[in-house]
Amino acid sequence: MKHFVNKLTFNAFIAVFIALFGFILIHSGQSVNCTTSISNPSSNLVFFWLFDTSLPNDTPLEAIDPIYNLNPNAILLYNSALSGYPFSPDHPNWRKASMERRNAPTPLNYRPEGNNGISYDVSNMRAIQVKQPFVGDGGENTLYFHLPTNGFKDIVFQFAAKNEGAADKLSIDYSVNSGEPVWTTTGLANPTPDLSDNYQLYVVNFNQINEASNNQHFKIRIRFIGENMSVDEGKRVTFNNFSIDASALSGNNLPPVIINNIELQELIEQGDGMEFNLNNIFSDPDNDPLVFSVVSERPTMVQATLTGSTTSITPLKRGDAIITITANDGFNPTVQTSFRVLVYPRAFPLKDGELSFTYWNYNEPEYSYPQYMMFLQSEQNDPKINDALLFPYFIPHDDYHPDDLANLGFPYKNSRRTRINGLDDDGIAFINTGRGRDLGGLLIAVDLSEVESAKLDWLGGTIIRNNRVYAIRLFYRTNLFTPFADLMHNGQEIEYVTAQQGDVKRFSDISLPDNIMNQKYVQFLWKYYLVEGDTSSRAQLRLDDIVFKNVTGINESQKAKFDIYTKDGEIILTSPTIVNGDIMVYDVMGRLIKTNKIRNSTTSVVDLGMIKGVFVVRLITSENNFLTKILLR
């Protein structure tokens, strides 16, 4: 006979276990949904501490407020074992016996409802660490939680923790009196739980301790137990995701709760938008009527409007925006959640002619991209081949290097840190330096409707070789809901890999696959990614001379060969055969600045007067659609 327990039954068992014994540990390796509270089903999240990048890094901390609270005055305070804490950077005890931020996220006990409905994978979570020594002239390293439970009962305290060579056990006690705390472990079955090398979920239930309920003076204390707690080897205990859950007392009106989270939305500029019924996002425990609001972080990129309980999202321009929606029940503080909208470029109709990327100026402002294109970055260091690029290129103003502060708002001209540089008629350059927002790629959207055959050219190059090897590989996809796939040529992936400094390689006449012909929206992604190496500087690579060509119905053997050059301020076109056609000259922003006709001749001269710079010259005949870039000095 087989025996099994489903998740609901198991959680019910856990709730009973806690009620009976007051404490349970759940190891991170077990198949339990540890991000969901396993306390009383009628309980509510009252306090939640998320440790993210809003905390200063490499800095001794003394106090941390919860990011979510239903009662005021909750706080986490820290006492260091060393008298005089916190110390200045020039003190020998700097960052000793300290509480600090560190990078150690975990989904254990993560509560999206306590973080504006943001899912774990985009929560920007870090952690806190308590460092050796744990005993000294200032007493013991101790965490103090001030947790006023006014209006609540059946208190449950939860958190994640792991040992990294510093302690064997935790020591947990509490106080319920006013004035100087009187600490006790009465009612706690296991006040000294073991620590593990991996994160564990710790759950402490106070529902059998009546004094913990409806008590503005309720406090919890965490200390540390081990063999030699005065040793100082730089080791630590790490914590994450402290929370308090409780049930409301009768007559205590509760705020709205977030019942569904909206994940990242990917849309196309000037394309279809979307709608959300906010009654499916928020619910009120007391059935109070809710008043909603919606705000877009960047309304010129993403418009957000509200009609009744329905919010409409409209993509206007390439980029992204955080959309914040709120609900208020008229009794409690407003509850809010947010989601991000990423807006991709609209597609260029290739049936109308060639599309090219041959120039980008370093003076372009932030959130500017070539038409039908977009530069992308990640939210990590050194993205690899399969890592997502879900953010438009942007440098936060507080992440500009001091040498680049004069460039604020102009991220294509920086000389330090992760960046894309505009190289004028040499295109762009990518380089990463490990900023948590590393690059990246160039995405181009093309409409291949009524196109039966098309080809592609591009150029890759090495500007600075350095030790970490990077590559630029070409991908494509035909909708926003499937992963990018390699664009193949002669059975091989198409990529440029770091070579000697100054090296360039042209990829010419790449035939686009038949399965994407006549597709209305196709994205092509040139992805700059780490190939190998984990120390020292990264390679800076160049991308340039991208040209999409519609060759539908063109016989390759019938293509004329043209020569275009400049002389004395003029653009001169010559052909070995008689030509009839139209010549168009565009500037690097795609603006038409001059036209000329060639009739029954082998030569045409276009005089641009005193205008200098880089231009794109296009010749259209009955048999050819020719495009090239030229520099007029």
Side-chain angles (χ1 to χ4, degrees):
M1 178 181 295
K2 293 184 178 180
H3 299 273
F4 67 93
V5 180
N6 64 32
K7 182 179 291 186
L8 180 61
T9 304
F10 183 76
N11 283 350
F13 164 76
I14 293 296
V16 172
F17 188 98
I18 296 172
L20 292 174
F21 298 101
F23 199 96
I24 191 167
L25 299 181
I26 298 178
H27 193 278
S28 60
Q30 288 184 245
S31 57
V32 177
N33 183 0
C34 297
T35 62
T36 300
S37 172
I38 53 177
S39 55
N40 189 321
S42 65
S43 68
N44 300 271
L45 182 65
V46 181
F47 304 118
F48 181 60
W49 276 263
L50 172 73
F51 308 118
D52 60 12
T53 54
S54 64
L55 292 175
N57 199 20
D58 298 332
T59 302
L61 304 172
E62 297 179 90
I64 305 175
D65 292 319
I67 68 163
Y68 179 88
N69 65 84
L70 295 186
N71 278 340
N73 302 321
I75 194 169
L76 162 59
L77 300 176
Y78 178 69
N79 178 79
S80 171
L82 298 180
S83 179
Y85 176 91
F87 304 99
S88 60
D90 58 353
H91 194 281
N93 285 336
W94 167 247
R95 298 186 62 193
K96 294 180 182 293
S98 59
M99 177 176 73
E100 303 176 6
R101 185 189 110 187
R102 68 163 302 220
N103 190 7
T106 176
L108 287 176
N109 203 43
Y110 176 64
R111 310 295 293 277
E113 68 270 32
N115 188 26
N116 295 325
I118 297 172
S119 61
Y120 167 73
D121 58 341
V122 293
S123 64
N124 211 22
M125 184 191 298
R126 296 299 187 262
I128 59 168
Q129 61 185 5
V130 177
K131 296 175 62 178
Q132 291 177 329
F134 280 74
V135 175
D137 60 357
E140 301 177 72
N141 290 347
T142 307
L143 302 178
Y144 293 98
F145 293 85
H146 292 245
L147 304 165
T149 59
N150 312 53
F152 292 95
K153 63 179 181 178
D154 300 333
I155 312 301
V156 177
F157 180 50
Q158 300 184 156
F159 60 93
K162 65 178 177 178
N163 174 46
E164 297 183 79
D168 299 323
K169 296 174 179 287
L170 298 176
S171 174
I172 301 175
D173 50 13
Y174 66 96
S175 173
V176 294
N177 62 287
S178 61
E180 187 69 21
V182 177
W183 299 103
T184 180
T185 60
T186 301
L188 298 182
N190 182 13
T192 57
D194 292 334
L195 283 164
S196 169
D197 294 342
N198 298 309
Y199 269 123
Q200 294 183 116
L201 176 65
Y202 294 78
V203 183
V204 188
N205 195 318
F206 290 87
N207 68 358
Q208 300 299 313
I209 303 172
N210 293 332
E211 296 85 353
S213 299
N214 198 29
N215 187 338
Q216 64 176 327
H217 306 296
F218 181 57
K219 302 175 184 68
I220 294 176
R221 179 174 68 171
I222 298 179
R223 294 172 294 165
F224 306 86
I225 299 172
E227 291 186 2
N228 186 359
M229 302 306 285
S230 62
V231 69
D232 180 14
E233 298 175 340
K235 297 179 180 179
R236 60 201 171 194
V237 175
T238 298
F239 293 94
N240 230 324
N241 300 330
F242 290 102
S243 68
I244 289 287
D245 290 89
S247 300
L249 292 170
S250 178
N252 186 27
N253 190 283
L254 295 175
V257 295
I258 301 164
I259 56 175
N260 284 300
N261 301 314
I262 303 176
E263 304 296 335
L264 171 70
Q265 302 297 312
E266 299 174 68
L267 302 175
I268 299 170
E269 65 176 334
Q270 302 173 26
D272 294 336
M274 56 181 45
E275 293 184 343
F276 298 98
N277 185 339
L278 299 188
N279 287 315
N280 296 325
I281 307 301
F282 298 97
S283 178
D284 190 83
D286 307 294
N287 294 318
D288 297 322
L290 299 179
V291 176
F292 302 112
S293 72
V294 59
V295 176
S296 172
E297 175 192 24
R298 298 186 184 95
T300 60
M301 294 182 182
V302 182
Q303 183 184 71
T305 59
L306 182 66
T307 303
S309 62
T310 300
T311 183
S312 300
I313 307 300
T314 304
L316 301 177
K317 181 182 175 183
R318 289 157 291 165
D320 70 347
I322 300 294
I323 307 299
T324 300
I325 51 179
T326 70
N328 187 279
D329 64 356
F331 298 96
N332 294 283
T334 296
V335 174
Q336 72 176 39
T337 185
S338 60
F339 61 97
R340 189 168 63 91
V341 179
L342 175 60
V343 182
Y344 290 111
R346 61 192 176 96
F348 172 80
L350 198 63
K351 67 180 180 180
D352 294 341
E354 277 80 7
L355 172 65
S356 65
F357 171 74
T358 59
Y359 179 95
W360 192 245
N361 186 265
Y362 60 86
N363 281 316
E364 291 290 337
E366 59 192 11
Y367 287 118
S368 62
Y369 315 103
Q371 194 172 18
Y372 310 108
M373 307 179 196
M374 188 176 188
F375 303 122
L376 296 172
Q377 64 190 34
S378 72
E379 57 174 350
Q380 65 184 72
N381 293 335
D382 296 303
K384 297 182 175 61
I385 189 69
N386 293 318
D387 292 326
L389 303 174
L390 294 175
F391 294 83
Y393 174 59
F394 174 75
I395 301 179
H397 288 191
D398 61 359
D399 198 34
Y400 278 66
H401 189 276
D403 291 351
D404 290 323
L405 290 180
N407 301 333
L408 283 179
F410 294 87
Y412 300 104
K413 63 192 305 183
N414 283 0
S415 61
R416 307 291 292 273
R417 297 182 175 168
T418 293
R419 63 194 181 274
I420 294 174
N421 287 120
L423 304 178
D424 291 341
D425 59 330
D426 285 333
I428 57 171
F430 301 97
I431 189 167
N432 284 333
T433 63
R435 302 304 301 174
R437 53 170 181 82
D438 278 357
L439 309 168
L442 168 62
L443 182 143
I444 300 180
V446 182
D447 179 355
L448 295 174
S449 301
E450 301 179 39
V451 176
E452 302 294 337
S453 180
K455 292 196 173 184
L456 170 64
D457 301 335
W458 64 283
L459 177 148
T462 300
I463 296 177
I464 302 175
R465 178 179 174 83
N466 285 329
N467 290 330
R468 296 196 211 189
V469 176
Y470 266 75
I472 299 175
R473 184 182 290 191
L474 180 54
F475 296 88
Y476 77 99
R477 65 178 179 180
T478 57
N479 59 67
L480 304 184
F481 312 107
T482 57
F484 283 95
D486 282 296
L487 188 67
M488 308 294 286
H489 183 60
N490 296 328
Q492 299 292 321
E493 296 89 356
I494 305 168
E495 72 174 358
Y496 176 82
V497 181
T498 301
Q500 295 302 313
Q501 196 155 307
D503 176 76
V504 294
K505 180 179 179 180
R506 290 190 177 274
F507 300 83
S508 301
D509 285 334
I510 299 168
S511 296
L512 301 188
D514 292 340
N515 67 304
I516 66 173
M517 293 300 107
N518 288 300
Q519 295 284 339
K520 189 169 182 60
Y521 189 83
V522 183
Q523 288 184 343
F524 296 87
L525 174 64
W526 282 260
K527 187 173 187 178
Y528 168 78
Y529 72 96
L530 177 67
V531 176
E532 63 181 14
D534 55 10
T535 59
S536 193
S537 300
R538 291 88 165 165
Q540 185 178 35
L541 301 185
R542 172 188 166 203
L543 179 62
D544 192 19
D545 290 348
I546 299 173
V547 181
F548 287 87
K549 299 170 287 187
N550 178 7
V551 295
T552 301
I554 295 178
N555 186 330
E556 296 292 327
S557 65
Q558 294 177 343
K559 282 190 175 180
K561 294 182 179 179
F562 303 103
D563 185 20
I564 296 181
Y565 59 94
T566 63
K567 182 179 180 181
D568 299 330
E570 297 176 330
I571 298 175
I572 302 171
L573 180 146
T574 64
S575 170
T577 59
I578 296 294
V579 175
N580 287 280
D582 296 294
I583 300 172
M584 287 157 283
V585 181
Y586 301 86
D587 66 12
V588 293
M589 299 305 294
R591 295 179 292 239
L592 180 65
I593 62 170
K594 190 80 172 182
T595 61
N596 200 17
K597 296 183 182 295
I598 180 169
R599 295 290 184 264
N600 297 316
S601 176
T602 60
T603 304
S604 180
V605 178
V606 181
D607 185 358
L608 296 184
M610 301 298 292
I611 303 176
K612 308 295 181 185
V614 177
F615 301 94
V616 176
V617 181
R618 181 178 179 185
L619 170 65
I620 299 178
T621 72
S622 60
E623 295 181 344
N624 292 277
N625 200 330
F626 178 79
L627 192 78
T628 190
K629 179 175 67 174
I630 197 164
L631 174 64
L632 191 60
R633 300 182 184 277

